[in-house]
Amino acid sequence: MKIIFATKNAGKVKEVKLMLEELDAEVVTMTEAGIDIDVDEDGKTFEENAIKKAKEIMQASGCITLSDDSGLEIDYLNKQPGVHSARFMGENTSYDIKNQRILEMLHGVPDEKRTARFVSVIAAAFPDGRIVTTTGTIEGMIAHEAKGGNGFGYDPIFYVPQFGINTAEMDIEQKNKISHRGKALRAMKERLKEMI
Ligand code: IMP
C-alpha cells in the first residue's frame, strides 16, 4: 500500500520516512507520486491547514494522504510566527536572515520570557472519507544566538533546556525522539496501524 506524505520540504520528508519505516506501507512524497499541486495554507490553525492539504492531495491521488502543518510559537511575540512560520519575512527569505531577525526582536528579553514551542499537527485523509489528526509539541526557548548545522528552519535558535542544546545541534534520531513532529507522527503511526 502506498501512503503519500504531502510536503515539498526535504527536511521533513527525511524525518518522516525514517519514522514510518516500520509501517506495512510505502511512504512516498508528492513528487515521487507524480503529484504537483500547491495547496493554499490559508487556515487559521495548524489543524485546519493540515486537514485541507491532506484532503486535496488524497482527492487528486486516490491514496491515503498524510500531511503536516507545523510552526514555531514564540510567547513573547504573541505566538507568532505560528501558522505563518514558513511565510515569516517571505517564503524565499533565508532562515539565516529570519533567525537573525527573531534574535533581534528578542534582544534583551530575559530567559523566562523567551519561552517557545514547536507545534505539529498531522492529518490523515482516507479515500473513504475518514479524517484523523494527531498533535505534538516540544517546549523550549529562543536561544541568545544561532547554533548548530543540523535540522532546518528555526532549529538553530530553538534551545531545549532539558538537553542544554539547540535542535540544530541534535542528530535526526535524537530530534525525532523528542520533537513535535516525532510525537505527532508516533501517535499517527499507532492510529494507522489500527486503520489500514
Ligand atoms: P509548514 O511546511 O507550513 O508546516 O511550515 C512549517 C514551518 O515551521 C517550517 O517551514 C519552519 O519554518 C517551521 N518549522 C516547523 N517544524 C520545524 C522544525 O522541526 N525545525 C525548525 N523549523 C520548523
Side-chain angles (χ1 to χ4, degrees):
M1 174 180 308
K2 203 185 266 185
I3 297 181
I4 298 179
F5 188 77
T7 186
K8 289 175 185 165
N9 180 323
K12 282 189 194 173
V13 170
K14 234 164 117 182
E15 293 182 358
V16 170
K17 280 199 170 180
L18 193 73
M19 285 211 47
L20 294 182
E21 251 172 8
E22 69 183 67
L23 271 188
D24 193 17
E26 186 195 357
V27 179
V28 299
T29 63
M30 282 166 66
T31 318
E32 286 165 345
I35 305 237
D36 187 15
I37 300 178
D38 267 323
V39 180
D40 215 6
E41 294 183 26
D42 53 2
K44 287 190 182 61
T45 63
F46 295 116
E47 192 168 34
E48 239 179 88
N49 282 334
I51 291 175
K52 184 178 182 205
K53 224 183 318 179
K55 248 175 147 176
E56 287 190 25
I57 308 298
M58 178 276 289
Q59 279 159 357
S61 65
C63 294
I64 299 174
T65 303
L66 294 180
S67 114
D68 122 296
D69 195 41
S70 55
L72 175 64
E73 294 181 347
I74 302 175
D75 291 325
Y76 186 77
L77 303 178
N78 296 319
K79 302 206 170 166
Q80 293 301 310
V83 285
H84 306 291
S85 291
R87 283 161 285 168
F88 174 67
M89 296 181 79
E91 195 102 34
N92 295 323
T93 305
S94 80
Y95 276 91
D96 282 348
I97 293 173
K98 296 188 196 203
N99 285 334
Q100 281 312 316
R101 178 76 189 116
I102 288 177
L103 291 178
E104 274 165 34
M105 289 165 96
L106 269 75
H107 182 73
V109 174
D111 283 357
E112 64 272 19
K113 290 189 179 162
R114 302 178 78 90
T115 50
R117 72 204 52 75
F118 279 127
V119 181
S120 162
V121 176
I122 313 257
F126 289 73
D128 63 10
R130 287 176 296 172
I131 301 275
V132 184
T133 63
T134 56
T135 302
T137 59
I138 173 173
E139 297 289 334
M141 285 164 65
I142 299 305
H144 290 274
E145 57 179 3
K147 231 195 257 179
N150 298 335
F152 64 97
Y154 299 103
D155 280 329
I157 59 164
F158 191 79
Y159 177 75
V160 187
Q162 197 188 343
F163 291 89
I165 53 175
N166 296 346
T167 40
E169 296 177 283
M170 296 178 181
D171 63 35
I172 195 168
E173 280 88 5
Q174 187 182 8
K175 186 180 165 195
N176 275 346
K177 271 188 204 151
I178 59 153
S179 78
H180 50 314
R181 201 164 10 266
K183 289 174 186 164
L185 263 175
R186 270 189 294 280
M188 181 55 79
K189 188 165 64 179
E190 295 312 311
R191 298 298 301 274
L192 289 175
K193 280 184 193 165
E194 296 158 10
M195 295 178 77
I196 57 177

